[in-house]
Amino acid sequence: MPDDLAERIRQAIGEDPNIGEIRMFGGICFTLNGNMMVGTMKDGTLLARVGEGQEAEALSKPGATRMNFTGREMKGFIIVAADELSDDALKRWIAMASRFVGAMPAKKPGAKKKK
């Protein structure tokens, strides 16, 4: 299931040199300028990074819940149920995530935060 969703995301995004892919959370994470944007989860759900400013709007959409990773909720990260991911809905989620992530500074490849 995650592979089917990943292919649908690829088709929705199209050819963009600023988009990358990495394996994460048992699925594939799509990055924009090196920043996590959307991803597939192993159960076929979508992970969308919408930021805290768009979170209330995102949570009002069908099938949307805040990501809960190992018992800790992650603000600004939304999980969308697989059965709520029509092609149009998927495009809207990608657009919402892109608005947030696109405003972030680009990450340099291999750069790690200093503590």
Side-chain angles (χ1 to χ4, degrees):
M1 261 202 306
D3 291 337
D4 293 340
L5 180 55
E7 188 54 39
R8 292 177 59 212
I9 292 169
R10 287 183 195 103
Q11 289 176 6
I13 291 172
E15 297 293 323
D16 184 337
N18 299 310
I19 300 289
E21 294 182 26
I22 56 174
R23 288 258 173 218
M24 187 181 291
F25 301 121
I28 297 174
C29 176
F30 292 82
T31 62
L32 176 58
N33 298 319
N35 295 298
M36 182 179 167
M37 182 175 66
V38 295
T40 64
M41 305 296 281
K42 60 184 169 186
D43 62 359
T45 57
L46 176 77
L47 170 61
R49 184 179 189 182
V50 300
E52 290 184 49
Q54 298 183 104
E55 187 178 77
E57 176 188 352
L59 289 171
S60 73
K61 297 184 182 306
T65 58
R66 184 182 283 158
M67 181 180 189
N68 186 321
F69 191 66
T70 63
R72 192 183 110 209
E73 287 192 339
M74 297 179 67
K75 292 181 180 178
F77 289 84
I78 303 296
I79 298 290
V80 185
D83 60 354
E84 295 293 343
L85 291 172
S86 67
D87 289 343
D88 286 341
L90 179 60
K91 288 177 186 175
R92 287 191 299 271
W93 281 109
I94 292 169
M96 181 180 267
S98 180
R99 278 192 302 274
F100 173 70
V101 176
M104 298 172 74
K107 283 189 178 178
K108 294 179 183 175
K112 293 189 178 187
K113 278 188 175 181
K114 292 182 180 179
K115 291 185 178 183

PDB file of all heavy atoms in Angstrom, residues 77-98:
ATOM      1  N   PHE A  77       2.163  17.975  12.262  1.00  0.00           N
ATOM      2  CA  PHE A  77       2.273  16.770  11.434  1.00  0.00           C
ATOM      3  C   PHE A  77       0.930  16.046  11.479  1.00  0.00           C
ATOM      4  O   PHE A  77       0.431  15.721  12.554  1.00  0.00           O
ATOM      5  CB  PHE A  77       3.376  15.842  11.952  1.00  0.00           C
ATOM      6  CG  PHE A  77       4.763  16.378  11.731  1.00  0.00           C
ATOM      7  CD1 PHE A  77       5.322  17.277  12.622  1.00  0.00           C
ATOM      8  CD2 PHE A  77       5.504  15.983  10.627  1.00  0.00           C
ATOM      9  CE1 PHE A  77       6.604  17.775  12.432  1.00  0.00           C
ATOM     10  CE2 PHE A  77       6.781  16.476  10.423  1.00  0.00           C
ATOM     11  CZ  PHE A  77       7.335  17.376  11.331  1.00  0.00           C
ATOM     12  N   ILE A  78       0.345  15.792  10.315  1.00  0.00           N
ATOM     13  CA  ILE A  78      -1.002  15.234  10.218  1.00  0.00           C
ATOM     14  C   ILE A  78      -0.957  13.883   9.515  1.00  0.00           C
ATOM     15  O   ILE A  78      -0.275  13.716   8.508  1.00  0.00           O
ATOM     16  CB  ILE A  78      -1.922  16.186   9.416  1.00  0.00           C
ATOM     17  CG1 ILE A  78      -1.950  17.585  10.054  1.00  0.00           C
ATOM     18  CG2 ILE A  78      -3.320  15.608   9.249  1.00  0.00           C
ATOM     19  CD1 ILE A  78      -2.543  17.648  11.443  1.00  0.00           C
ATOM     20  N   ILE A  79      -1.706  12.922  10.059  1.00  0.00           N
ATOM     21  CA  ILE A  79      -1.910  11.631   9.412  1.00  0.00           C
ATOM     22  C   ILE A  79      -3.289  11.662   8.768  1.00  0.00           C
ATOM     23  O   ILE A  79      -4.265  12.077   9.401  1.00  0.00           O
ATOM     24  CB  ILE A  79      -1.848  10.468  10.440  1.00  0.00           C
ATOM     25  CG1 ILE A  79      -0.479  10.404  11.101  1.00  0.00           C
ATOM     26  CG2 ILE A  79      -2.223   9.143   9.782  1.00  0.00           C
ATOM     27  CD1 ILE A  79       0.646   9.956  10.208  1.00  0.00           C
ATOM     28  N   VAL A  80      -3.350  11.230   7.505  1.00  0.00           N
ATOM     29  CA  VAL A  80      -4.618  11.219   6.776  1.00  0.00           C
ATOM     30  C   VAL A  80      -4.964   9.776   6.424  1.00  0.00           C
ATOM     31  O   VAL A  80      -4.145   9.056   5.830  1.00  0.00           O
ATOM     32  CB  VAL A  80      -4.545  12.065   5.490  1.00  0.00           C
ATOM     33  CG1 VAL A  80      -5.916  12.127   4.823  1.00  0.00           C
ATOM     34  CG2 VAL A  80      -4.025  13.466   5.785  1.00  0.00           C
ATOM     35  N   ALA A  81      -6.164   9.343   6.794  1.00  0.00           N
ATOM     36  CA  ALA A  81      -6.627   7.983   6.536  1.00  0.00           C
ATOM     37  C   ALA A  81      -6.593   7.682   5.036  1.00  0.00           C
ATOM     38  O   ALA A  81      -6.946   8.533   4.208  1.00  0.00           O
ATOM     39  CB  ALA A  81      -8.046   7.804   7.075  1.00  0.00           C
ATOM     40  N   ALA A  82      -6.188   6.469   4.701  1.00  0.00           N
ATOM     41  CA  ALA A  82      -6.056   6.055   3.304  1.00  0.00           C
ATOM     42  C   ALA A  82      -7.364   6.192   2.538  1.00  0.00           C
ATOM     43  O   ALA A  82      -7.362   6.586   1.362  1.00  0.00           O
ATOM     44  CB  ALA A  82      -5.545   4.614   3.233  1.00  0.00           C
ATOM     45  N   ASP A  83      -8.488   5.903   3.183  1.00  0.00           N
ATOM     46  CA  ASP A  83      -9.769   5.962   2.473  1.00  0.00           C
ATOM     47  C   ASP A  83     -10.267   7.390   2.245  1.00  0.00           C
ATOM     48  O   ASP A  83     -11.304   7.597   1.633  1.00  0.00           O
ATOM     49  CB  ASP A  83     -10.836   5.118   3.177  1.00  0.00           C
ATOM     50  CG  ASP A  83     -11.120   5.542   4.601  1.00  0.00           C
ATOM     51  OD1 ASP A  83     -10.424   6.436   5.121  1.00  0.00           O
ATOM     52  OD2 ASP A  83     -12.040   4.972   5.208  1.00  0.00           O
ATOM     53  N   GLU A  84      -9.525   8.382   2.712  1.00  0.00           N
ATOM     54  CA  GLU A  84      -9.865   9.791   2.476  1.00  0.00           C
ATOM     55  C   GLU A  84      -8.902  10.445   1.481  1.00  0.00           C
ATOM     56  O   GLU A  84      -8.845  11.667   1.382  1.00  0.00           O
ATOM     57  CB  GLU A  84      -9.847  10.575   3.792  1.00  0.00           C
ATOM     58  CG  GLU A  84     -10.902  10.141   4.776  1.00  0.00           C
ATOM     59  CD  GLU A  84     -12.329  10.459   4.321  1.00  0.00           C
ATOM     60  OE1 GLU A  84     -12.518  11.290   3.405  1.00  0.00           O
ATOM     61  OE2 GLU A  84     -13.266   9.856   4.894  1.00  0.00           O
ATOM     62  N   LEU A  85      -8.158   9.621   0.742  1.00  0.00           N
ATOM     63  CA  LEU A  85      -7.137  10.147  -0.163  1.00  0.00           C
ATOM     64  C   LEU A  85      -7.513   9.968  -1.631  1.00  0.00           C
ATOM     65  O   LEU A  85      -6.817   9.295  -2.387  1.00  0.00           O
ATOM     66  CB  LEU A  85      -5.784   9.485   0.131  1.00  0.00           C
ATOM     67  CG  LEU A  85      -5.150   9.860   1.455  1.00  0.00           C
ATOM     68  CD1 LEU A  85      -3.917   9.009   1.734  1.00  0.00           C
ATOM     69  CD2 LEU A  85      -4.800  11.346   1.475  1.00  0.00           C
ATOM     70  N   SER A  86      -8.617  10.586  -2.025  1.00  0.00           N
ATOM     71  CA  SER A  86      -8.926  10.622  -3.451  1.00  0.00           C
ATOM     72  C   SER A  86      -7.794  11.401  -4.135  1.00  0.00           C
ATOM     73  O   SER A  86      -6.985  12.057  -3.466  1.00  0.00           O
ATOM     74  CB  SER A  86     -10.260  11.345  -3.689  1.00  0.00           C
ATOM     75  OG  SER A  86     -10.131  12.724  -3.343  1.00  0.00           O
ATOM     76  N   ASP A  87      -7.727  11.353  -5.443  1.00  0.00           N
ATOM     77  CA  ASP A  87      -6.667  12.081  -6.150  1.00  0.00           C
ATOM     78  C   ASP A  87      -6.720  13.575  -5.842  1.00  0.00           C
ATOM     79  O   ASP A  87      -5.685  14.197  -5.609  1.00  0.00           O
ATOM     80  CB  ASP A  87      -6.750  11.836  -7.665  1.00  0.00           C
ATOM     81  CG  ASP A  87      -6.332  10.421  -8.046  1.00  0.00           C
ATOM     82  OD1 ASP A  87      -5.682   9.728  -7.228  1.00  0.00           O
ATOM     83  OD2 ASP A  87      -6.667   9.994  -9.173  1.00  0.00           O
ATOM     84  N   ASP A  88      -7.928  14.143  -5.825  1.00  0.00           N
ATOM     85  CA  ASP A  88      -8.062  15.575  -5.523  1.00  0.00           C
ATOM     86  C   ASP A  88      -7.642  15.878  -4.090  1.00  0.00           C
ATOM     87  O   ASP A  88      -6.960  16.873  -3.832  1.00  0.00           O
ATOM     88  CB  ASP A  88      -9.499  16.047  -5.759  1.00  0.00           C
ATOM     89  CG  ASP A  88      -9.838  16.165  -7.236  1.00  0.00           C
ATOM     90  OD1 ASP A  88      -8.908  16.249  -8.072  1.00  0.00           O
ATOM     91  OD2 ASP A  88     -11.040  16.165  -7.566  1.00  0.00           O
ATOM     92  N   ALA A  89      -8.061  15.038  -3.149  1.00  0.00           N
ATOM     93  CA  ALA A  89      -7.694  15.255  -1.747  1.00  0.00           C
ATOM     94  C   ALA A  89      -6.176  15.149  -1.575  1.00  0.00           C
ATOM     95  O   ALA A  89      -5.572  15.967  -0.869  1.00  0.00           O
ATOM     96  CB  ALA A  89      -8.407  14.253  -0.846  1.00  0.00           C
ATOM     97  N   LEU A  90      -5.561  14.178  -2.215  1.00  0.00           N
ATOM     98  CA  LEU A  90      -4.113  14.013  -2.126  1.00  0.00           C
ATOM     99  C   LEU A  90      -3.411  15.269  -2.640  1.00  0.00           C
ATOM    100  O   LEU A  90      -2.481  15.773  -1.995  1.00  0.00           O
ATOM    101  CB  LEU A  90      -3.662  12.779  -2.910  1.00  0.00           C
ATOM    102  CG  LEU A  90      -2.164  12.508  -2.921  1.00  0.00           C
ATOM    103  CD1 LEU A  90      -1.619  12.295  -1.511  1.00  0.00           C
ATOM    104  CD2 LEU A  90      -1.848  11.305  -3.805  1.00  0.00           C
ATOM    105  N   LYS A  91      -3.864  15.801  -3.744  1.00  0.00           N
ATOM    106  CA  LYS A  91      -3.265  17.031  -4.288  1.00  0.00           C
ATOM    107  C   LYS A  91      -3.424  18.196  -3.322  1.00  0.00           C
ATOM    108  O   LYS A  91      -2.503  19.007  -3.155  1.00  0.00           O
ATOM    109  CB  LYS A  91      -3.879  17.366  -5.648  1.00  0.00           C
ATOM    110  CG  LYS A  91      -3.428  16.433  -6.741  1.00  0.00           C
ATOM    111  CD  LYS A  91      -4.122  16.742  -8.056  1.00  0.00           C
ATOM    112  CE  LYS A  91      -3.754  15.697  -9.102  1.00  0.00           C
ATOM    113  NZ  LYS A  91      -4.496  15.895 -10.349  1.00  0.00           N
ATOM    114  N   ARG A  92      -4.566  18.288  -2.669  1.00  0.00           N
ATOM    115  CA  ARG A  92      -4.780  19.370  -1.692  1.00  0.00           C
ATOM    116  C   ARG A  92      -3.841  19.218  -0.487  1.00  0.00           C
ATOM    117  O   ARG A  92      -3.318  20.217   0.012  1.00  0.00           O
ATOM    118  CB  ARG A  92      -6.244  19.417  -1.258  1.00  0.00           C
ATOM    119  CG  ARG A  92      -7.168  19.978  -2.336  1.00  0.00           C
ATOM    120  CD  ARG A  92      -8.569  20.274  -1.804  1.00  0.00           C
ATOM    121  NE  ARG A  92      -9.260  19.100  -1.297  1.00  0.00           N
ATOM    122  CZ  ARG A  92     -10.025  18.293  -2.017  1.00  0.00           C
ATOM    123  NH1 ARG A  92     -10.208  18.527  -3.302  1.00  0.00           N
ATOM    124  NH2 ARG A  92     -10.625  17.255  -1.466  1.00  0.00           N
ATOM    125  N   TRP A  93      -3.648  17.983  -0.015  1.00  0.00           N
ATOM    126  CA  TRP A  93      -2.737  17.761   1.109  1.00  0.00           C
ATOM    127  C   TRP A  93      -1.304  18.113   0.717  1.00  0.00           C
ATOM    128  O   TRP A  93      -0.573  18.735   1.495  1.00  0.00           O
ATOM    129  CB  TRP A  93      -2.814  16.307   1.604  1.00  0.00           C
ATOM    130  CG  TRP A  93      -4.010  16.065   2.461  1.00  0.00           C
ATOM    131  CD1 TRP A  93      -5.125  15.343   2.150  1.00  0.00           C
ATOM    132  CD2 TRP A  93      -4.235  16.567   3.779  1.00  0.00           C
ATOM    133  NE1 TRP A  93      -6.019  15.376   3.189  1.00  0.00           N
ATOM    134  CE2 TRP A  93      -5.499  16.114   4.202  1.00  0.00           C
ATOM    135  CE3 TRP A  93      -3.490  17.365   4.644  1.00  0.00           C
ATOM    136  CZ2 TRP A  93      -6.024  16.432   5.449  1.00  0.00           C
ATOM    137  CZ3 TRP A  93      -4.019  17.682   5.889  1.00  0.00           C
ATOM    138  CH2 TRP A  93      -5.269  17.210   6.279  1.00  0.00           C
ATOM    139  N   ILE A  94      -0.897  17.724  -0.476  1.00  0.00           N
ATOM    140  CA  ILE A  94       0.453  18.052  -0.939  1.00  0.00           C
ATOM    141  C   ILE A  94       0.611  19.569  -1.045  1.00  0.00           C
ATOM    142  O   ILE A  94       1.635  20.125  -0.639  1.00  0.00           O
ATOM    143  CB  ILE A  94       0.754  17.357  -2.288  1.00  0.00           C
ATOM    144  CG1 ILE A  94       0.848  15.838  -2.081  1.00  0.00           C
ATOM    145  CG2 ILE A  94       2.046  17.903  -2.902  1.00  0.00           C
ATOM    146  CD1 ILE A  94       0.881  15.034  -3.370  1.00  0.00           C
ATOM    147  N   ALA A  95      -0.405  20.256  -1.560  1.00  0.00           N
ATOM    148  CA  ALA A  95      -0.352  21.717  -1.683  1.00  0.00           C
ATOM    149  C   ALA A  95      -0.239  22.374  -0.308  1.00  0.00           C
ATOM    150  O   ALA A  95       0.542  23.324  -0.124  1.00  0.00           O
ATOM    151  CB  ALA A  95      -1.576  22.224  -2.430  1.00  0.00           C
ATOM    152  N   MET A  96      -1.009  21.872   0.665  1.00  0.00           N
ATOM    153  CA  MET A  96      -0.965  22.448   2.010  1.00  0.00           C
ATOM    154  C   MET A  96       0.424  22.253   2.634  1.00  0.00           C
ATOM    155  O   MET A  96       0.994  23.188   3.205  1.00  0.00           O
ATOM    156  CB  MET A  96      -2.041  21.819   2.899  1.00  0.00           C
ATOM    157  CG  MET A  96      -2.077  22.390   4.306  1.00  0.00           C
ATOM    158  SD  MET A  96      -3.363  21.634   5.328  1.00  0.00           S
ATOM    159  CE  MET A  96      -4.687  22.795   5.049  1.00  0.00           C
ATOM    160  N   ALA A  97       0.964  21.053   2.507  1.00  0.00           N
ATOM    161  CA  ALA A  97       2.299  20.778   3.041  1.00  0.00           C
ATOM    162  C   ALA A  97       3.355  21.609   2.316  1.00  0.00           C
ATOM    163  O   ALA A  97       4.281  22.143   2.939  1.00  0.00           O
ATOM    164  CB  ALA A  97       2.609  19.287   2.925  1.00  0.00           C
ATOM    165  N   SER A  98       3.200  21.754   1.029  1.00  0.00           N
ATOM    166  CA  SER A  98       4.150  22.525   0.228  1.00  0.00           C
ATOM    167  C   SER A  98       4.161  24.002   0.640  1.00  0.00           C
ATOM    168  O   SER A  98       5.216  24.637   0.671  1.00  0.00           O
ATOM    169  CB  SER A  98       3.796  22.391  -1.251  1.00  0.00           C
ATOM    170  OG  SER A  98       4.684  23.129  -2.041  1.00  0.00           O
TER     171      SER A  98
END
